Amino acid sequence: MRSYAGKAEIALLCTDDAPEGLHCGACNAGKQLSPRETVLAENAVGAGAGDFVKVTMREHGELKAALTLFIVPLLSFLMALVAAHAASMSLWISFLSGAGALALTLFLLRIILKKKTYYLIAGIK
């Protein structure tokens, strides 16, 4: 685990009865991944390197992530299509402008959300 600026990069490791019950899917149903899956989580409890922690997701985290990663790019694509159509551009030029807006939006989201996380360290085990 690496810590910085109130956040920690943690490796996901399923324990307990994860293969039999519900699990997050990051561990492939309890099987060890060759490179472990890591996530960035807010470290409000002050966990250090080597600590086993319980990780939860912030309230409405899935909804916020879905809005950010799906709805925002879709809206940018559609707005570019509408703007190109309003400028009386051909169908292919409209499509290419929409695809360019989509690519630009995804690129900007990647830069802006690089250190954003919806995970939270709930406690140290």
Side-chain angles (χ1 to χ4, degrees), residues 59-93:
E59 187 176 5
H60 307 296
E62 298 96 348
L63 180 61
K64 291 175 185 176
L67 279 171
T68 304
L69 297 175
F70 295 113
I71 303 302
V72 171
L74 178 65
L75 288 177
S76 72
F77 177 76
L78 291 175
M79 288 187 327
L81 281 178
V82 168
H85 178 70
S88 300
M89 295 182 179
S90 70
L91 179 64
W92 284 106
I93 300 296

Side-chain angles (χ1 to χ4, degrees), residues 2-78:
R2 294 187 307 181
S3 294
Y4 47 92
K7 294 185 178 142
E9 185 177 315
I10 58 174
L12 296 179
L13 175 66
C14 284
T15 57
D16 303 322
D17 60 349
E20 291 83 27
L22 295 174
H23 57 88
C24 65
C27 65
N28 198 12
K31 298 178 184 135
Q32 295 294 325
L33 297 173
S34 26
R36 283 193 180 151
E37 184 72 27
T38 60
V39 295
L40 188 65
E42 191 171 315
N43 189 6
V45 298
D51 289 342
F52 282 90
V53 296
K54 181 178 180 182
V55 180
T56 61
M57 189 169 267
R58 291 185 162 279
E59 187 176 5
H60 307 296
E62 298 96 348
L63 180 61
K64 291 175 185 176
L67 279 171
T68 304
L69 297 175
F70 295 113
I71 303 302
V72 171
L74 178 65
L75 288 177
S76 72
F77 177 76
L78 291 175

Side-chain angles (χ1 to χ4, degrees), residues 80-122:
L81 281 178
V82 168
H85 178 70
S88 300
M89 295 182 179
S90 70
L91 179 64
W92 284 106
I93 300 296
S94 297
F95 173 75
L96 290 175
S97 66
L102 178 64
L104 179 66
T105 303
L106 290 174
F107 177 74
L108 291 175
L109 282 175
R110 185 176 176 105
I111 291 171
I112 293 169
L113 300 175
K114 187 171 185 134
K115 298 295 180 190
K116 177 73 174 162
T117 182
Y118 293 107
Y119 291 102
L120 174 68
I121 297 177

